[in-house]
Amino acid sequence: MATVRRGLRKVAVRALSQQSTSVSVVCARCGRRAPCDRCKQPELCAVCVRVVRGLYAWCQGCSHGGHLHHMQQWMEKHTLCPAGCGHRCQLP
């Protein structure tokens, strides 16, 4: 969880994360809890389509995500999910 907190840039979000934070991660392919026992596939970045090693950011609405810096750059210019699902993603 400390790694996630270090990746947060917004002061308000960082302050909230110091209180009580929980993270629930699901597989973007099948919706099961990650790491997925069914798909057994590594998480791919929806922007660069490479395996994510390090900080992973995802939309809690559609569960698509990717490298933290790629997702931040994408969301600065776009509102729809980079995976093409049509969801209007938001990152904290």
Side-chain angles (χ1 to χ4, degrees), residues 4-87:
V4 172
R5 287 187 196 125
R6 281 194 298 268
L8 297 173
R9 293 177 189 239
K10 293 185 177 181
V11 176
V13 175
R14 186 178 301 148
L16 286 173
S17 75
Q18 298 299 318
Q19 295 171 8
S20 117
T21 303
S22 63
V23 176
S24 176
V25 182
V26 296
C27 176
R29 291 177 196 85
C30 69
R32 294 184 72 183
R33 191 173 177 160
C36 183
D37 295 333
R38 183 185 304 165
C39 297
K40 297 188 189 281
Q41 297 293 318
E43 291 297 332
L44 299 179
C45 177
V47 178
C48 72
V49 196
R50 294 177 130 175
V51 173
V52 177
R53 290 185 175 87
L55 292 178
Y56 182 81
W58 68 96
C59 172
Q60 293 182 4
C62 67
S63 298
H64 292 119
H67 296 100
L68 175 63
H69 62 280
H70 286 164
M71 294 300 289
Q72 287 173 330
Q73 290 171 350
W74 178 271
M75 298 313 293
E76 286 175 5
K77 298 178 182 174
H78 305 89
T79 56
L80 295 180
C81 179
C85 72
H87 186 260

